[in-house]
Amino acid sequence: MNIHQDTPTKILHTILLGIVKYYWGQTVYILDKTHLLNTFQTHLESMNKDGLNTPMLGAEYIVQYKGALIGKHFKSLAQVMSYLIYDTFPQTVLDGWTVMGKLVVLLWHMVIKEKEVYLAKLSWTIEEFLSISAQCVPSILIMKAKFHFLLHLPIFIRRFGLTILFSTE
């Protein structure tokens, strides 16, 4: 038994409570510092949520409890954040949220029809996300191991199947 090969990355803690939460914390800090939390809340309230396969995004709740959100909130925010901050943040931060949204959707797939095509797209998305993150905050790649763990996801998916299958949450 090799603990490094036999222990797949858990997507709740690595993705939602890891990289998404890190980006969220920085985004909220900037929104608060620039006095744009009310604008963000308005954008979130006015967003059309029809067709989203996510729990309700209660704008007031998310802004009020911005420091105490849980996985389902981060999963939803990751998928819509680029629409909410498109006119208030630098392009690199917007790009980071956009690629993160793609990554979240890819990792929560329930069926993979063409495994090699899926893994190539996932690997490319991970590389793009890490590249953008390095442009935003280079030190985060060194300080937060969860960013490194992303590189191992394609290997674990090849070995164990969908991330949902080895997710323990």
Side-chain angles (χ1 to χ4, degrees), residues 124-149:
W124 184 86
T125 304
I126 290 169
E127 289 173 19
E128 184 181 20
F129 177 72
L130 292 175
S131 175
I132 292 167
S133 295
Q135 292 172 38
C136 292
V137 185
S139 63
I140 202 164
L141 299 180
I142 298 167
M143 303 296 289
K144 303 292 185 183
K146 292 179 181 183
F147 284 80
H148 170 76
F149 295 162

Side-chain angles (χ1 to χ4, degrees), residues 96-110:
W97 277 109
T98 301
V99 175
M100 189 186 322
K102 292 177 188 177
L103 183 60
V104 166
V105 169
L106 282 171
L107 291 174
W108 266 266
H109 264 292
M110 300 301 282

Side-chain angles (χ1 to χ4, degrees), residues 35-73:
H35 308 289
L36 291 172
L37 269 173
N38 289 335
T39 303
F40 173 79
Q41 183 174 343
T42 302
H43 284 183
L44 188 54
E45 284 171 349
S46 64
M47 195 176 109
N48 184 353
K49 295 164 189 78
D50 293 343
L52 288 177
N53 188 17
T54 59
M56 258 334 251
L57 284 167
E60 185 178 344
Y61 180 89
I62 287 183
V63 170
Q64 182 177 353
Y65 298 105
K66 59 189 174 287
L69 302 179
I70 60 175
K72 69 179 181 179
H73 300 120

